[in-house]
Amino acid sequence: MRRILLALVLLVATVTLAAGGVVWWWLQRPLQLESASVELSIEAGAAPRAVAQAWVQAGVQTSPQFLYQWFRWSGQARQIRAGSYEIEPGVTPRQLLDKMVRGDEVLESVRFIEGWTFRQLRAELARATTLKPATATLSDAELMAALGAPGVAPEGRFFPDTYAYSRGVSDLTVLKRAHAAMQRRLAQTWAERPADTPLRSMDDLLVLASIIEKETGQAADRPKVAAVFLNRLRVGMPLQTDPTVIYGLGERFDGNLRKRDLQTDTPFNTYTRTGLPPTPIAMPGLESLRASVKPAPTKALYFVSRGDGSSVFSDNLADHNRAVNQYQRAPRTSGTP
């Protein structure tokens, strides 16, 4: 009897060691894939068994039961993170689990450019095919309500930057980040404003920064451009800036700004109205925001483009007219007259 028991013990030990060896071998062996790479998006809350099955359905050539048992045996099954993942030949079961636990995702990105309008931003979102188009059927007003800002015009409310995201997430998720980023930048910049600024609110700051963004040809000129507009606001002089008129024309603008456009009164015509327009006209970048509260120390009220992106700034109309004759040879500038 003792010999039989000893034999059974040895048999069980041998089988256990053999099984352990097989498991160790399987964990170290690269998984076979149906294609050059296999991608999988894991939704939040997905069960470990469903994750294992999904990998096999996506193209990993192994037993889903093996994968699931490995997830369980490792003690990390509940640490698998939602996200978009991609694996290539050479990945072992151990490395696959490690990737999901670390959240080592495949990320896409979308870039919003300084000076873009909200219409351009929405067009860029529509081109991002790896985003879920949750806002595609929403009006601008409905979209802002979804962001928690009902009644707020969307123009200029999103910070221009590059935003990384997981494949398959909602475009609303990206917009929430861009909107929150602009709110933070705006609040930080507003806190740095001088006591004598003619700007009355953060909205004023955002509107002015958007005009500076559209009017500046060279980055070095931003503080001077800001100073001109702030000086005009202080003395009640019209801003007389073409980009606001063009924005007000919308899709009617054909690339040629005419005299009648400058004379036709609209809320965005800064030739016929004093003060700032009712909303921003584009997305300002951080430097334009900063220039709005840290303008150059100049009394200039005019500027005209040299034609190379830079501008000439003047304190009085006589000097400005001479600069216009020299650089534009026309009675009106393309920027601020």
Side-chain angles (χ1 to χ4, degrees):
M1 182 63 68
R2 290 179 180 176
R3 291 178 179 177
I4 294 174
L5 289 176
L6 180 59
L8 287 173
V9 169
L10 290 174
L11 178 61
V12 170
T14 302
V15 170
T16 301
L17 288 173
V22 170
V23 171
W24 185 89
W25 172 82
W26 181 78
L27 288 176
Q28 307 302 321
R29 185 170 179 267
L31 292 163
Q32 297 299 306
L33 309 181
E34 290 182 356
S35 56
S37 65
V38 174
E39 299 178 13
L40 180 67
S41 291
I42 301 173
E43 299 291 337
R49 186 186 295 275
V51 172
Q53 184 67 46
W55 275 116
V56 174
Q57 292 174 345
V60 175
Q61 298 180 320
T62 191
S63 165
Q65 187 64 21
F66 283 1
L67 275 182
Y68 170 59
Q69 292 301 330
W70 158 231
F71 296 165
R72 285 188 59 202
W73 180 78
S74 71
Q76 296 179 301
R78 295 298 175 183
Q79 298 176 30
I80 294 174
R81 301 184 185 184
S84 298
Y85 298 95
E86 180 179 14
I87 59 173
E88 297 178 345
V91 171
T92 67
R94 189 186 298 276
Q95 292 169 334
L96 172 61
L97 178 59
D98 183 57
K99 177 186 283 286
M100 293 187 292
V101 170
R102 287 185 290 110
D104 184 10
E105 302 180 58
V106 174
L107 297 178
E108 301 285 347
S109 65
V110 62
R111 185 183 180 196
F112 302 146
I113 307 296
E114 292 89 343
W116 272 7
T117 63
F118 188 59
R119 183 171 60 184
Q120 290 174 300
L121 180 151
R122 295 199 72 170
E124 185 66 13
L125 281 179
R127 284 190 287 269
T129 57
T130 52
L131 279 173
K132 187 183 299 180
T135 68
T137 60
L138 300 182
S139 67
D140 288 357
E142 290 170 336
L143 190 153
M144 292 304 291
L147 290 174
V152 176
E155 198 65 75
R157 298 286 172 176
F158 303 87
F159 190 71
D161 203 348
T162 299
Y163 295 91
Y165 61 87
S166 301
R167 294 173 182 173
V169 305
S170 166
D171 55 4
L172 188 62
T173 300
V174 175
L175 284 176
K176 284 180 179 178
R177 291 172 56 200
H179 183 259
M182 180 58 85
Q183 292 295 98
R184 289 194 304 272
R185 296 292 193 180
L186 194 56
Q188 291 166 358
T189 307
W190 181 244
E192 299 173 4
R193 70 191 185 280
D196 63 345
T197 180
L199 303 176
R200 299 167 297 177
S201 66
M202 285 195 291
D203 275 4
D204 280 1
L205 167 58
L206 187 59
V207 173
L208 178 60
S210 73
I211 296 173
I212 294 168
E213 190 68 56
K214 299 297 288 186
E215 276 281 23
T216 305
Q218 288 191 1
D221 283 344
R222 272 197 194 92
K224 291 182 180 179
V225 171
V228 167
F229 290 131
L230 288 166
N231 290 340
R232 288 191 170 197
L233 288 173
R234 286 190 179 93
V235 300
M237 183 177 175
L239 297 185
Q240 295 182 312
T241 169
D242 291 0
T244 62
V245 180
I246 292 170
Y247 181 82
L249 290 173
E251 295 182 0
R252 291 176 294 156
F253 181 61
D254 61 3
N256 184 21
L257 191 62
R258 300 171 176 82
K259 184 176 181 180
R260 67 171 180 267
D261 297 325
L262 303 178
Q263 296 173 338
T264 301
D265 183 50
T266 74
F268 289 90
N269 191 334
T270 51
Y271 286 85
T272 60
R273 301 191 183 195
T274 57
L276 294 165
T279 73
I281 61 172
M283 291 188 298
L286 182 58
E287 294 308 312
S288 291
L289 288 170
R290 287 174 173 168
S292 300
V293 297
K294 296 182 179 180
T298 175
K299 296 180 180 179
L301 289 170
Y302 306 89
F303 67 91
V304 62
S305 173
R306 289 190 176 94
D308 62 357
S310 65
S311 298
V312 177
F313 296 83
S314 305
D315 292 357
N316 57 71
L317 185 57
D319 289 346
H320 175 64
N321 286 336
R322 281 192 287 271
V324 169
N325 290 333
Q326 179 177 355
Y327 294 104
Q328 295 290 319
R329 300 185 183 278
R332 189 179 64 81
T333 74
S334 60
T336 299

